[in-house]
Amino acid sequence: MKPWMIVLIVVAVVLIALIVVLYFLGKKAQKKQAQQQEMLEANKQTVSMLIIDKKRMRLKDAGLPQMVLDQTPKLMRRSKLPIVKVKVGPQIMSLICDEKIFDTVPVKKEVKAVVSGIYVLSVKGLHGKIEVQPAKKKSRFRRALEAAQEKAGAKPLK
């Protein structure tokens, strides 16, 4: 056999092994996430709260209890999470918001939220509808294309 064929076979075997390992790790992570989601659903409750502020910030800067910081993996401590500062009754606290609903959470409004522990799962407007629509950012290509079309006098694409 030629040396390049041996190298090709070794690379193919390593890639196949890597794919198999990633497949089983993905299955394990999926089971763990389903279990966590089930736990959140079991412990959820509806709470009326006033949203004071919302930001994406690091876990240690968010003002969460020390016990929460101790329980999080070290890699997650440096990542930015959607944090919502709320007033529930007389108490002001920081909660972690679900990534899917973070953009729709209104600031300085009273809402009814479904909360599980320190995790906000969903938000509904208490007085009327929530009218926050996330503004889509335009890519550089799209902005340059629209600028070029304006100069040429053509109708901009939507």
Side-chain angles (χ1 to χ4, degrees), residues 8 12 14 16 19 22-24 30 35 52-53 57-58 60 62 68 85 93 99 112-113 119 124 126 131 147 155-156:
L8 190 64
V14 168
I16 290 172
I19 289 172
L22 287 175
Y23 172 76
F24 285 112
Q30 196 173 25
Q35 184 182 18
I52 299 171
D53 192 21
M57 54 180 25
R58 290 203 167 87
K60 63 180 180 180
V68 174
K85 189 173 252 186
M93 55 193 347
E99 190 71 46
K112 271 197 188 266
Y119 198 74
K124 292 181 184 173
L126 193 63
E131 297 179 12
K155 290 184 179 178

Short mmCIF file of all heavy atoms in Angstrom, two decimals, residues 8 12 14 16 19 22-24 30 35 52-53 57-58 60 62 68 85 93 99 112-113 119 124 126 131 147 155-156:
data_model
loop_
_atom_site.label_atom_id
_atom_site.label_comp_id
_atom_site.label_asym_id
_atom_site.label_seq_id
_atom_site.Cartn_x
_atom_site.Cartn_y
_atom_site.Cartn_z
N LEU A 8 -4.98 8.24 4.65
CA LEU A 8 -6.39 8.44 4.35
C LEU A 8 -7.27 7.49 5.17
O LEU A 8 -8.31 7.90 5.72
CB LEU A 8 -6.63 8.25 2.84
CG LEU A 8 -7.99 8.65 2.32
CD1 LEU A 8 -8.20 10.15 2.49
CD2 LEU A 8 -8.12 8.27 0.86
N ALA A 12 -9.98 8.57 8.08
CA ALA A 12 -11.38 8.13 7.97
C ALA A 12 -11.82 7.41 9.24
O ALA A 12 -12.93 7.64 9.74
CB ALA A 12 -11.55 7.24 6.75
N VAL A 14 -10.60 7.79 12.29
CA VAL A 14 -10.69 8.78 13.37
C VAL A 14 -11.97 9.59 13.22
O VAL A 14 -12.67 9.85 14.22
CB VAL A 14 -9.44 9.69 13.37
CG1 VAL A 14 -9.64 10.89 14.27
CG2 VAL A 14 -8.21 8.90 13.79
N ILE A 16 -14.82 8.69 11.78
CA ILE A 16 -15.96 7.82 12.12
C ILE A 16 -16.08 7.66 13.63
O ILE A 16 -17.17 7.73 14.19
CB ILE A 16 -15.84 6.46 11.39
CG1 ILE A 16 -16.06 6.66 9.89
CG2 ILE A 16 -16.84 5.46 11.94
CD1 ILE A 16 -15.77 5.46 9.05
N ILE A 19 -17.51 10.86 15.11
CA ILE A 19 -18.95 10.98 14.85
C ILE A 19 -19.75 10.10 15.80
O ILE A 19 -20.78 10.51 16.34
CB ILE A 19 -19.26 10.67 13.37
CG1 ILE A 19 -18.73 11.79 12.48
CG2 ILE A 19 -20.75 10.48 13.14
CD1 ILE A 19 -18.79 11.52 11.01
N LEU A 22 -19.70 11.70 19.31
CA LEU A 22 -20.58 12.86 19.35
C LEU A 22 -22.05 12.46 19.33
O LEU A 22 -22.88 13.10 19.98
CB LEU A 22 -20.28 13.80 18.18
CG LEU A 22 -18.99 14.60 18.29
CD1 LEU A 22 -18.75 15.40 17.02
CD2 LEU A 22 -19.03 15.52 19.49
N TYR A 23 -22.38 11.41 18.62
CA TYR A 23 -23.76 10.92 18.58
C TYR A 23 -24.22 10.49 19.97
O TYR A 23 -25.29 10.90 20.44
CB TYR A 23 -23.87 9.75 17.60
CG TYR A 23 -25.21 9.06 17.62
CD1 TYR A 23 -26.31 9.65 17.02
CD2 TYR A 23 -25.37 7.83 18.24
CE1 TYR A 23 -27.55 9.02 17.04
CE2 TYR A 23 -26.60 7.21 18.27
CZ TYR A 23 -27.68 7.80 17.67
OH TYR A 23 -28.91 7.18 17.69
N PHE A 24 -23.40 9.70 20.67
CA PHE A 24 -23.80 9.22 21.99
C PHE A 24 -23.80 10.35 23.03
O PHE A 24 -24.66 10.38 23.91
CB PHE A 24 -22.91 8.06 22.43
CG PHE A 24 -23.24 6.78 21.72
CD1 PHE A 24 -22.37 6.22 20.81
CD2 PHE A 24 -24.45 6.15 21.95
CE1 PHE A 24 -22.67 5.05 20.15
CE2 PHE A 24 -24.77 4.98 21.29
CZ PHE A 24 -23.89 4.42 20.38
N GLN A 30 -29.40 15.19 25.36
CA GLN A 30 -30.82 15.36 25.05
C GLN A 30 -31.69 14.76 26.15
O GLN A 30 -32.70 15.36 26.55
CB GLN A 30 -31.12 14.69 23.71
CG GLN A 30 -32.42 15.09 23.10
CD GLN A 30 -32.57 14.53 21.70
OE1 GLN A 30 -31.97 13.51 21.35
NE2 GLN A 30 -33.37 15.20 20.89
N GLN A 35 -35.13 15.77 30.96
CA GLN A 35 -35.37 15.58 32.39
C GLN A 35 -35.45 16.95 33.10
O GLN A 35 -36.32 17.16 33.95
CB GLN A 35 -34.24 14.75 32.99
CG GLN A 35 -34.42 14.40 34.44
CD GLN A 35 -33.24 13.60 34.97
OE1 GLN A 35 -32.16 13.59 34.38
NE2 GLN A 35 -33.45 12.93 36.08
N ILE A 52 -38.25 45.46 36.13
CA ILE A 52 -37.49 46.69 36.30
C ILE A 52 -36.47 46.87 35.18
O ILE A 52 -36.36 47.93 34.58
CB ILE A 52 -36.77 46.70 37.67
CG1 ILE A 52 -37.81 46.63 38.79
CG2 ILE A 52 -35.90 47.93 37.82
CD1 ILE A 52 -37.23 46.41 40.16
N ASP A 53 -35.73 45.79 34.88
CA ASP A 53 -34.65 45.89 33.91
C ASP A 53 -34.38 44.51 33.33
O ASP A 53 -34.67 43.49 33.96
CB ASP A 53 -33.39 46.43 34.60
CG ASP A 53 -32.31 46.82 33.61
OD1 ASP A 53 -32.63 47.07 32.43
OD2 ASP A 53 -31.13 46.88 34.02
N MET A 57 -25.98 39.37 30.94
CA MET A 57 -24.80 39.59 31.76
C MET A 57 -24.26 38.28 32.28
O MET A 57 -24.92 37.25 32.23
CB MET A 57 -25.10 40.56 32.91
CG MET A 57 -26.26 40.17 33.76
SD MET A 57 -26.67 41.27 35.14
CE MET A 57 -26.08 42.82 34.71
N ARG A 58 -23.02 38.35 32.77
CA ARG A 58 -22.39 37.16 33.33
C ARG A 58 -23.08 36.77 34.62
O ARG A 58 -23.67 37.59 35.32
CB ARG A 58 -20.91 37.44 33.60
CG ARG A 58 -20.14 37.56 32.31
CD ARG A 58 -18.66 37.28 32.54
NE ARG A 58 -18.00 37.10 31.27
CZ ARG A 58 -17.49 38.09 30.55
NH1 ARG A 58 -17.59 39.32 30.98
NH2 ARG A 58 -16.90 37.84 29.41
N LYS A 60 -21.91 35.82 37.52
CA LYS A 60 -21.40 36.36 38.77
C LYS A 60 -21.74 37.84 38.93
O LYS A 60 -21.78 38.35 40.04
CB LYS A 60 -19.89 36.14 38.89
CG LYS A 60 -19.06 36.83 37.85
CD LYS A 60 -17.60 36.54 38.05
CE LYS A 60 -16.75 37.23 37.00
NZ LYS A 60 -15.36 36.94 37.18
N ALA A 62 -24.67 39.10 37.95
CA ALA A 62 -26.13 39.22 37.90
C ALA A 62 -26.78 39.43 39.26
O ALA A 62 -27.94 39.80 39.33
CB ALA A 62 -26.72 37.98 37.24
N VAL A 68 -26.48 29.43 43.71
CA VAL A 68 -26.66 29.24 42.27
C VAL A 68 -25.31 29.26 41.58
O VAL A 68 -25.04 28.44 40.69
CB VAL A 68 -27.58 30.34 41.70
CG1 VAL A 68 -27.66 30.26 40.19
CG2 VAL A 68 -28.96 30.24 42.30
N LYS A 85 -34.35 41.75 36.08
CA LYS A 85 -34.48 42.26 37.46
C LYS A 85 -35.95 42.61 37.65
O LYS A 85 -36.50 43.41 36.90
CB LYS A 85 -33.60 43.48 37.68
CG LYS A 85 -33.53 43.90 39.13
CD LYS A 85 -32.53 45.01 39.31
CE LYS A 85 -31.34 44.41 40.02
NZ LYS A 85 -30.34 45.38 40.40
N MET A 93 -35.60 41.13 43.01
CA MET A 93 -34.72 39.99 42.79
C MET A 93 -34.33 39.88 41.33
O MET A 93 -34.97 40.44 40.46
CB MET A 93 -35.40 38.70 43.27
CG MET A 93 -36.73 38.49 42.63
SD MET A 93 -37.85 37.24 43.31
CE MET A 93 -36.98 36.28 44.37
N GLU A 99 -34.29 32.07 26.99
CA GLU A 99 -33.71 32.75 25.83
C GLU A 99 -34.77 33.03 24.77
O GLU A 99 -34.73 34.06 24.09
CB GLU A 99 -32.59 31.88 25.24
CG GLU A 99 -31.77 32.57 24.19
CD GLU A 99 -30.88 33.66 24.75
OE1 GLU A 99 -30.20 33.44 25.76
OE2 GLU A 99 -30.87 34.76 24.16
N LYS A 112 -47.75 39.06 34.23
CA LYS A 112 -47.92 37.77 34.88
C LYS A 112 -46.93 36.84 34.23
O LYS A 112 -46.93 36.67 33.01
CB LYS A 112 -49.34 37.24 34.68
CG LYS A 112 -50.31 37.68 35.72
CD LYS A 112 -51.52 36.79 35.68
CE LYS A 112 -52.59 37.33 36.57
NZ LYS A 112 -52.59 36.80 37.88
N ALA A 113 -46.07 36.24 35.05
CA ALA A 113 -45.01 35.38 34.51
C ALA A 113 -45.13 34.00 35.11
O ALA A 113 -45.49 33.83 36.27
CB ALA A 113 -43.65 35.97 34.82
N TYR A 119 -36.12 30.78 37.37
CA TYR A 119 -36.14 30.73 35.91
C TYR A 119 -37.50 31.19 35.41
O TYR A 119 -38.53 30.62 35.77
CB TYR A 119 -35.85 29.30 35.46
CG TYR A 119 -35.42 29.15 34.05
CD1 TYR A 119 -34.15 29.54 33.65
CD2 TYR A 119 -36.27 28.63 33.09
CE1 TYR A 119 -33.74 29.40 32.34
CE2 TYR A 119 -35.87 28.49 31.79
CZ TYR A 119 -34.61 28.88 31.41
OH TYR A 119 -34.21 28.75 30.13
N LYS A 124 -46.86 37.10 30.25
CA LYS A 124 -48.08 37.61 29.65
C LYS A 124 -48.35 38.98 30.24
O LYS A 124 -48.10 39.22 31.41
CB LYS A 124 -49.27 36.69 29.95
CG LYS A 124 -49.18 35.35 29.28
CD LYS A 124 -50.38 34.51 29.60
CE LYS A 124 -50.21 33.14 28.98
NZ LYS A 124 -51.27 32.23 29.42
N LEU A 126 -50.19 41.96 31.98
CA LEU A 126 -51.24 42.03 32.98
C LEU A 126 -52.31 43.04 32.56
O LEU A 126 -53.49 42.81 32.71
CB LEU A 126 -50.64 42.43 34.33
CG LEU A 126 -51.52 42.27 35.54
CD1 LEU A 126 -51.88 40.80 35.73
CD2 LEU A 126 -50.82 42.77 36.78
N GLU A 131 -46.50 44.54 23.58
CA GLU A 131 -46.31 45.02 22.21
C GLU A 131 -44.85 45.09 21.81
O GLU A 131 -44.50 45.80 20.88
CB GLU A 131 -46.95 46.40 22.06
CG GLU A 131 -48.44 46.37 22.28
CD GLU A 131 -49.05 47.74 22.15
OE1 GLU A 131 -48.36 48.67 21.68
OE2 GLU A 131 -50.22 47.89 22.52
N ALA A 147 -28.40 50.43 0.26
CA ALA A 147 -27.77 51.71 -0.04
C ALA A 147 -27.47 51.83 -1.54
O ALA A 147 -27.69 52.89 -2.15
CB ALA A 147 -26.48 51.86 0.76
N LYS A 155 -36.36 50.19 -6.39
CA LYS A 155 -37.13 49.91 -5.17
C LYS A 155 -36.33 48.97 -4.28
O LYS A 155 -35.76 48.00 -4.77
CB LYS A 155 -38.46 49.25 -5.52
CG LYS A 155 -39.45 50.16 -6.20
CD LYS A 155 -40.75 49.45 -6.41
CE LYS A 155 -41.76 50.37 -7.07
NZ LYS A 155 -43.02 49.66 -7.33
N PRO A 156 -36.26 49.24 -2.97
CA PRO A 156 -35.52 48.36 -2.06
C PRO A 156 -36.24 47.03 -1.84
O PRO A 156 -37.46 46.97 -1.88
CB PRO A 156 -35.42 49.16 -0.75
CG PRO A 156 -36.54 50.15 -0.82
CD PRO A 156 -36.78 50.42 -2.28
#
